Amino acid sequence: SCAPVAVRNARWLTAFGNGSFGFAQGRGISSAKYLFSADDLANTAWQTLDHAQTWTANAGATIHQDRFLLTGVLAYGSGLRTGPDNDQHVPGHFTVDISMQYTLLTHAFPVRVGVDVINAFDEHYAYRIANGFVGSSYGAPRSVYLSLSLPLAREPGHGGAAGSDAR
């Protein structure tokens, strides 16, 4: 199930939030059977799947100021199942992503430059730990990306006019 919420102030703010509860189970073993004993393969009891996270939530906001955008997103995950018998949870985690974008008006074609910082506080967290044949995985460290967006055609509603000065 999911519970989304959205807020919009057309002048300067857009915000959202959502949360979900998930529960997934399966019976028996259907892949990598060579890794399991005959007793494990004979077990057809229901088990919570290792790739199902119970709670997930996201919240974010974008501030608009003329040609400048600043966006922040907070994400929460309660942790995937783990352990040799898939009966434990990886600890939950929070991450923060921040994006900034500025639009340059060059004639009729807006050029956008941006910076995205993923996992801004360099949160170190386990994504999964020793869950059978997949092994262990960890969340990505802080990453910074630069972007340049050049439209291939005139954008409708763009206020720039051909021959106008770049701002």
Side-chain angles (χ1 to χ4, degrees), residues 51-138:
H51 60 275
Q53 182 165 262
T54 306
W55 292 101
T56 303
N58 297 285
T62 299
I63 296 171
H64 314 260
Q65 179 64 40
D66 296 323
R67 295 175 291 180
F68 178 75
L69 297 175
L70 175 64
T71 300
V73 176
L74 172 67
Y76 169 73
S78 63
L80 299 177
R81 301 287 284 202
T82 192
D85 294 321
N86 199 29
D87 59 353
Q88 301 166 16
H89 275 89
V90 172
H93 60 275
F94 286 94
T95 57
V96 173
D97 300 337
I98 299 170
S99 295
M100 294 174 280
Q101 183 183 75
Y102 187 78
T103 301
L104 304 165
L105 301 178
T106 57
H107 303 292
F109 300 95
V111 175
R112 293 180 179 88
V113 293
V115 175
D116 299 318
V117 181
I118 309 302
N119 192 5
F121 298 112
D122 201 21
E123 196 63 33
H124 298 275
Y125 61 94
Y127 186 71
R128 61 171 45 109
I129 299 174
N131 70 335
F133 67 94
V134 177
S136 299
S137 302
Y138 297 87

Side-chain angles (χ1 to χ4, degrees), residues 9 18 30 39 61 88 119:
N9 174 329
N18 64 59
S30 61
D39 289 342
Q88 301 166 16
N119 192 5

